Structure formats: structure tokens, C-alpha cells
Amino acid sequence: MTLAEVTRAVGGTLHLSATDHEESPVEGVVDTDSREMGPGSVFVAKPGDVTDGHLFVGAAAEAGAALAIVERVVDAPISQIVVADAVAALARLAQEVVARVRASGQLQVVGITGSNGKTTTKNLLARILQDEGPTVAPRASFNNEVGAPVTMLRVAADTRFLVSELGASRPGRIAELAALITPDIGAVLMVGLAHAGGFGGVDATQKAKTELVQAVRPGGVAVLNADDPRVAAMAAVAAERGVAVRWFGRGPDADVRAEDVEVTASGTVCTIVVGGERFPLRLRVLGEHHVMNALAAVTIAGVLGVSTADAVARLETVEIAERWRMQPLGSDRVRIINDAYNASPDSMSAALRTVAQITEPGQRKVAVLGAMSELGEQAGEEHDRVGLQAVRLRYERIVVIGSAARRLYLAAISEGSWDGEAVFFETADEAFDYLRGELRDGDRVLVKSSNSAGLRFLGDRLGESFS
């Protein structure tokens, strides 16, 4: 696109540098991080809580950026488009670029949402699709009002598949993000208590996730979890919009289902059944709950024309879903399972069950747990449930970290049957010192918390210490 075309797309005012003119081209990365800039890139100067992107316009120019989208003119040798809201301009540019690529090529667009499993599912799907043609999918969990458009803006003229992970920080957010791409396929994985505090309860969360189904283009496909009644109810919305439904799940009515699921220390084995045909799958990603994510990926891929046999074969090459998501660290002597990038009551429960399932007789189960964020008024009760579950799954040691998780610790010691079963530390450093002396050969250690608790770095330290 030219500078003039970008200016029209974002609805701003163009201030040219001394060497540019309106028809000068821009054709590089678009990002809010000046460290990602290179020749021809577009830097979006987003004001932030900690710092202000306008402070880095000069650095972006030095790195070769061709354009800065700003909310005020900055003294730097680079053409600038002044807009009222840089994040809104980023979204408008993403919408324009996706529309152009779609009109001129073979681009097919997938949107994925759900209370849990979004990042794992998009990674599994991206692995399947990359062998079919050029595929764009988010880095890490780029699923908010900045990360989603940044991902969309990575599409090129030859991109065949765009996989967008859509998160919700508030009601209406998924609708806004999905409107930028009008998905051909919208997949809803589950409705749970993740972020329920920000929505006012699980009913409001269900309504927010339904926004993706409402955004799928007429004639498109909604891929829905047949095992989750709140997701299954979205089929009625799909029908109203002329959107077909493909079901995945463990039950007999799913179009793509899993049978004979077995959890092992090296992954999960199951049989995927599609149209009466059976396909053995050995998924190296730890955790029974990831079977549902694999089913969703296979279902989406099938809608896009990928055979089940090919999809399954490609899934078997995936070693981990993402860093800090059920990531095996340490060694066979002391195995650390670092799953502390995110946490909700559902994912916390699933992780605790998984480590309990893969721990052999004579080995100890150790849970290193921090707070689950964004649960609102349900936070206390849900932390209680986790503490009780850890005890009832017979974890020999329960290490709780941080004042926000203290209810979890109190519930564990209340339910526990002997002294010392659960311990509490204010900081991860204190917990690391304790665990370095406490852990022994044969221990299987789960490190699990929300991102805000920072325990993923504790998991990395433990993994290195016991490698």
C-alpha cells in the first residue's frame, strides 16, 4: 500500500518526511513494538500504562520503519499519520489489509475463541495447515485488541489461511475483533469461568463467546463443542445466520469424536472417529484435556479440506502446545510440568488430574500453585475448590505462593490429613529455596497459576535446577 492508501484506511492526517511522497510504498511488518521494525515497516505508537509508544518513534525510524501511526506528531525523520486513537487505527488497517488479500487471493479465515484452549488449538491447527499452504497464526497468545490485528496484518498476497485467536476482555470485544475479518469458520471451544469476574458471571461469558458465531459469514461454518451445553446452544444462533455447524467432542453425536483416551507420561493416546473411520492418535502434548483441542483442530481442518489422516499425522509431530503450557522440564529424575502461563478453575482442575494420572506408584505428586485471576466474586470459592481437589487427588506436597492464593492454602490444610502436606510462601523466591531442598528423585511437579502470578518463571528455574 502507498502512504496515501494507508492514510485513507486509518482515517488520519498524513505528515510526510522530507524524502517521501504520498505514493511512497510501505510493505513491511506492522507492530506496536519498535524492536520488531525493519525496512519498510509501520510502527504504531500506542500509549500504554507503563510507557508511551511515541517515545520510540525515533528508534523505529532508525531501524528502517517507513511510517509511524501516531496520536501526535513526533520530531523524528519518518512520515507520520496522525489519528485520534492509534489502537483503533491499527484495527482499521488490519481490516483493510485482510479484505484486500481476501479479494485478490484464496485466503480463508478462521476465528477461535473459548474460555480455555484457544492458544493450544490455534497452534495445533496452524501445524496442520502449514503443510497445505502459507499460514498466518498468532505468536503466543496474541488475541486482544492489539495482538489480534497485529497478527492479521501479517497476511500477504499468497496467504491461504489466517488463524485468529480472539480473546475477550469485556462484552463486545470478540464482536469487534471478529468484524475485522468476518470469519469463514468460527470455533468455540468451551464456556467456563475464565475471566468471569470481568463479565459478571458465566452466563455473560457465554453471551460474549456467542459473538464469534454471530460474526461468521453467511454460508460459513461454526465448529462447536458438543459436550458443552453452553456452546451447543450456539447452534441456534448459527442456524439463524445461515451458518452450518460441525460438532466435535467425546460423545457419540459429535461429527469428530475421540474414543479410548489414555493419558501417559509421554502424552495422550486416543482414537479419532470421523464418519465411521477410526484414526489412532498419539498426541505428545501432555494432558487429557488437550484431546478436545486436537478434536477442534481436526474438525476445522476438515472443513478446510484437509483429510483426517493427514491432520492426525501432523498433530503427532507437535511436541508442546506452547511454552509454559503443560511444558515438560527437568529430567526423568524430577519432572517439572510448567503450566503457569494461564489458569482458570477448569484448566487448574485438568492440570491437577493430568499430573496425578501420569505419576507412577512410588513417585510423589507435588503441586506448586498460585492465584487464578479475573474470577471476581467467585474467586474465593474457586480457590477453595482447587485446594480441596489437590488434597483429594492425594498430592503429597502442595506449595501455595502469593497472598491472592491464600484461600487455596487454607482450604488444603483444612482438608488435609497430616501436618506439612501444604505450605505457603509469599514469594516465588522463598518457594524456590524450599523446593530445591524438598524435591527428590521420582517427584512429578505441577507449576500452575495465572500469568499475573509469575510462576512460569519459577517453573523455568526449577526445570533448569533439576535438568
Side-chain angles (χ1 to χ4, degrees):
M1 297 173 68
T2 65
L3 289 174
E5 288 174 321
V6 175
T7 301
R8 287 192 292 271
V10 302
T13 302
L14 176 61
H15 295 258
L16 290 166
S17 72
T19 58
D20 283 335
H21 53 83
E22 288 191 351
E23 298 307 309
S24 295
V26 289
E27 50 181 358
V29 169
V30 181
D31 211 304
T32 60
D33 187 342
S34 61
R35 295 168 296 185
E36 297 292 328
M37 295 296 101
S41 296
V42 179
F43 176 62
V44 181
K46 180 181 76 72
D49 296 331
V50 177
T51 188
D52 185 346
H54 293 80
L55 300 174
F56 301 94
V57 172
E62 289 179 9
L67 173 66
I69 296 175
V70 297
E71 294 181 4
R72 61 181 185 275
V73 174
V74 176
D75 183 14
I78 185 174
S79 291
Q80 300 170 43
I81 299 175
V82 180
V83 296
D85 185 325
V87 174
L90 177 69
R92 287 194 289 269
L93 184 57
Q95 186 173 32
E96 174 69 14
V97 167
V98 171
R100 285 182 177 222
V101 175
R102 204 175 209 162
S104 63
Q106 301 296 314
L107 181 66
Q108 292 181 284
V109 180
V110 179
I112 299 174
T113 195
S115 297
N116 295 298
K118 296 184 295 296
T119 299
T120 298
T121 302
K122 63 90 177 172
N123 284 343
L124 296 176
L125 179 61
R127 172 61 193 92
I128 295 171
L129 296 179
Q130 70 185 28
D131 287 355
E132 298 292 317
T135 299
V136 171
R139 302 194 305 270
S141 292
F142 274 35
N143 62 25
N144 63 8
E145 68 276 14
V146 174
V150 164
T151 298
M152 297 168 192
L153 283 160
R154 288 170 49 210
V155 300
D158 65 344
T159 302
R160 280 195 61 193
F161 306 105
L162 168 62
V163 181
S164 286
E165 178 182 340
L166 306 178
S169 56
R170 58 169 175 77
R173 176 66 76 196
I174 290 175
E176 293 169 2
L177 295 176
L180 304 180
I181 51 175
T182 314
D184 300 291
I185 301 170
V188 184
L189 307 178
M190 66 172 296
V191 174
L193 288 173
H195 313 298
F199 291 96
V202 71
D203 289 337
T205 302
Q206 178 184 2
K207 184 177 180 181
K209 303 305 181 186
T210 306
E211 292 169 11
L212 177 56
V213 179
Q214 294 168 327
V216 175
R217 66 167 179 80
V221 179
V223 172
L224 302 179
N225 181 348
D227 299 349
D228 186 328
R230 293 181 180 276
V231 176
M234 298 177 191
V237 176
E240 291 171 359
R241 289 187 48 77
V243 171
V245 174
R246 287 281 289 172
W247 300 99
F248 68 94
R250 301 277 293 271
D253 296 330
D255 298 306
V256 180
R257 70 179 190 274
E259 295 180 351
D260 306 323
V261 177
E262 179 185 354
V263 179
T264 73
S266 59
T268 306
V269 178
C270 68
T271 300
I272 292 182
V273 183
V274 182
E277 291 189 82
R278 303 172 67 83
F279 303 86
L281 169 64
R282 183 174 293 275
L283 190 66
R284 287 193 273 178
V285 180
L286 288 176
E288 182 177 353
H289 51 297
H290 288 309
V291 169
M292 290 296 286
N293 300 328
L295 290 174
V298 170
T299 306
I300 297 166
V303 175
L304 292 170
V306 182
S307 72
T308 304
D310 284 344
V312 167
R314 295 166 194 174
L315 287 180
E316 291 187 334
T317 69
V318 179
E319 295 186 7
I320 63 170
E322 184 84 51
R323 187 183 179 192
W324 299 318
R325 295 175 189 270
M326 296 302 288
Q327 181 181 7
L329 300 172
S331 64
D332 289 339
R333 184 171 67 86
V334 176
R335 177 63 67 199
I336 310 296
I337 308 299
N338 193 356
D339 193 33
Y341 189 84
N342 214 338
S344 68
D346 294 311
S347 69
M348 187 76 84
S349 177
L352 285 167
R353 290 197 309 271
T354 294
V355 173
Q357 288 170 321
I358 67 174
T359 302
E360 302 291 339
Q363 298 175 336
R364 290 196 311 174
K365 302 179 295 294
V366 179
V368 181
L369 307 176
M372 301 175 287
S373 60
E374 301 182 54
L375 294 178
E377 62 184 18
Q378 299 177 76
E381 180 180 344
E382 293 304 326
H383 282 90
D384 289 346
R385 291 182 192 275
V386 171
L388 294 176
Q389 183 182 21
V391 173
R392 291 169 182 174
L393 287 172
R394 300 185 182 278
Y395 273 77
E396 284 79 6
R397 289 291 180 270
I398 301 168
V399 180
V400 183
I401 303 167
S403 57
R406 192 171 183 86
R407 283 263 312 242
L408 193 162
Y409 165 69
L410 295 174
I413 60 174
S414 175
E415 181 76 4
S417 56
W418 65 87
D419 290 339
E421 182 179 29
V423 293
F424 176 82
F425 297 100
E426 286 287 352
T427 69
D429 286 341
E430 293 172 322
F432 177 76
D433 290 340
Y434 166 79
L435 289 163
R436 193 164 50 178
E438 170 66 23
L439 296 181
R440 64 191 192 211
D441 286 3
D443 285 352
R444 298 296 178 256
V445 185
L446 171 67
V447 182
K448 181 72 173 168
S449 73
S450 284
N451 198 11
S452 58
L455 296 197
R456 61 196 186 280
F457 303 118
L458 172 61
D460 288 344
R461 291 175 69 191
L462 290 170
E464 182 177 351
S465 182
F466 290 96
S467 63

